[in-house]
C-alpha cells in the first residue's frame, strides 16, 4: 500500500506517480468507519482516496443512488450519492465531524496546505486531551479533525 504522504503530496497533481515518497502514516486508527452523504460520489471518492491513501473495494451504481466503499490503513469510508436528495444545511443535527490520528501533525498539516485542502489557519493545542489538532474540510464541507498525541503536555 502506498504511504499516506505520497497520496497527500499527489493531491491536486495530474501525475501522482511522479511524487516523492515520504512517510507520514496515519496511526492510532483501528478499523475506523465513517459514512458520508455526498453530491458527487466520483469526485468525493477521488478526494478521499488521494488524501487518505484509500483504495476502492466496492462499488454500487443504481438508478437512484451510488455507493463507493474505500479502505486503507484501518480507515474505511463509505460515500453515498442519492439522486434527488436535497443538500442539508451547513449546520445540522447529527455527526459533526470525524477524527484521525497522525504521527507528525506538522508535516501532515503542511502537506494539506500546500495541496490547497481547506484547513484551519494553524494547529492548536488541547492540554486537557494532550493532543495537537487541526480541522480540514472535504469537498462537501464535512469536518475532518486530525490529531497528534502529545507525550506529555503539548
Amino acid at each position: 500500500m502506498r504511504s499516506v504522504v505520497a497520496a497527500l503530496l499527489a493531491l491536486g497533481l495530474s501525475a501522482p506517480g511522479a511524487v516523492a515518497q515520504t512517510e507520514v502514516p496515519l496511526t492510532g486508527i483501528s478499523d475506523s468507519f465513517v459514512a458520508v452523504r455526498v453530491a458527487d460520489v466520483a469526485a468525493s471518492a477521488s478526494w478521499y482516496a488521494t488524501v487518505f491513501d484509500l483504495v476502492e473495494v466496492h462499488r454500487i451504481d443504481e438508478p437512484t443512488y451510488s455507493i463507493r466503499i474505500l479502505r486503507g490503513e484501518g480507515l474505511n469510508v463509505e460515500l453515498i450519492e442519492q439522486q434527488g436528495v436535497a443538500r442539508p444545511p451547513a449546520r445540522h443535527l447529527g455527526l459533526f465531524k470525524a477524527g484521525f490520528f497522525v504521527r507528525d501533525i506538522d508535516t501532515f498539516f503542511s502537506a494539506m496546505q500546500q495541496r490547497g485542502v481547506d484547513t484551519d489557519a494553524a494547529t492548536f493545542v488541547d492540554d486537557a486531551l494532550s493532543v495537537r489538532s487541526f480541522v480540514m474540510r472535504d469537498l462537501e464541507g464535512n469536518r475532518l479533525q486530525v490529531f497528534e498525541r502529545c507525550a506529555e503536555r503539548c
Side-chain angles (χ1 to χ4, degrees):
M1 189 176 293
R2 297 174 306 156
S3 74
V4 171
V5 124
L8 293 174
L9 293 174
L11 185 64
L13 298 178
S14 60
V19 178
Q21 299 283 321
T22 308
E23 283 289 318
V24 182
L26 296 171
T27 180
I29 296 177
S30 176
D31 296 324
S32 294
F33 173 84
V34 63
V36 182
R37 194 174 80 195
V38 299
D40 183 336
V41 75
S44 291
S46 177
W47 189 91
Y48 276 88
T50 301
V51 171
F52 292 108
D53 194 29
L54 305 177
V55 295
E56 184 178 302
V57 296
H58 190 62
R59 173 186 293 219
I60 299 171
D61 288 307
E62 295 290 333
T64 59
Y65 67 92
S66 294
I67 297 175
R68 301 293 183 270
I69 308 287
L70 299 113
R71 179 179 297 155
E73 296 196 38
L75 176 60
N76 299 277
V77 176
E78 178 178 6
L79 302 169
I80 305 162
E81 176 185 341
Q82 294 175 286
Q83 302 302 318
V85 175
R87 185 181 293 250
R91 301 266 181 164
H92 59 279
L93 298 177
L95 183 64
F96 179 70
K97 62 184 167 185
F100 309 96
F101 285 83
V102 297
R103 288 190 183 128
D104 181 349
I105 199 165
D106 293 322
T107 301
F108 194 96
F109 180 73
S110 177
M112 293 295 94
Q113 289 197 315
Q114 289 173 9
R115 299 302 167 211
V117 174
D118 183 10
T119 68
D120 288 342
T123 62
F124 60 91
V125 173
D126 184 336
D127 282 324
L129 296 177
S130 294
V131 296
R132 291 180 57 217
S133 181
F134 73 92
V135 175
M136 57 193 273
R137 282 155 287 289
D138 71 4
L139 294 177
E140 303 293 335
N142 295 301
R143 290 166 174 81
L144 304 168
Q145 190 163 4
V146 180
F147 299 93
E148 177 185 57
R149 286 186 173 84
C150 300
E152 297 180 18
R153 293 188 65 82
C154 298

